[in-house]
Amino acid sequence: MNKTELIVAMAEQSGISRKDTEKVLKAFTDVVAEELKKGGKVQLVGFGTFEVSERAAREGRNPQTKETITIAASKAPKFKAGKALKDMVNE
C-alpha cells in the first residue's frame, strides 16, 4: 500500500474527505519526525512505539576493493510493534 492508497483507505474508514485525511496524515508524520529529531519517542498503546536507535561507529569493508573503511556513528528511526498489533497480524 502506498501513501495515496493509505489516504483513500483512511478516508473511507473514517468518513472524512480525502483532502482532510491527507492533512491529518501529514500532520501525524511531521509530529512523529519532529519528536524523533528531538530524541524523544512516540508511543501508541496497542499499536507500537516510534523511537530513535543510536548506531555506534564501526569498521566495515568496501566489497569491491576489500579495503577497510570507517562507518560513522548515526541515529536511525525505529518502530517496535505493540502486542495488540502483533496479535492482530498473527491471527
Side-chain angles (χ1 to χ4, degrees):
M1 175 180 283
N2 63 30
K3 184 178 177 181
T4 304
E5 293 168 338
L6 177 61
I7 290 169
V8 169
M10 288 173 58
E12 287 175 1
Q13 190 161 356
S14 66
I16 59 177
S17 72
R18 289 183 189 177
K19 192 169 191 171
D20 289 342
T21 302
E22 186 173 3
K23 287 179 184 176
V24 169
L25 182 60
K26 172 104 172 84
F28 173 76
T29 57
D30 290 348
V31 168
V32 170
E34 196 59 40
E35 186 62 26
L36 294 179
K37 188 176 178 181
K38 292 190 292 188
K41 68 180 182 178
V42 177
Q43 186 173 3
L44 304 171
V45 176
F47 185 73
T49 304
F50 296 91
E51 57 190 340
V52 176
S53 174
E54 303 273 342
R55 293 183 180 169
R58 58 191 166 85
E59 286 192 355
R61 293 206 179 270
N62 181 329
Q64 293 179 338
T65 64
K66 308 294 184 211
E67 179 184 347
T68 301
I69 58 172
T70 301
I71 302 170
S74 64
K75 296 178 183 179
K78 181 172 77 168
F79 176 76
K80 182 179 177 187
K83 184 178 182 336
L85 179 60
K86 288 179 190 176
D87 292 345
M88 189 182 301
V89 169
N90 287 311
E91 282 184 342

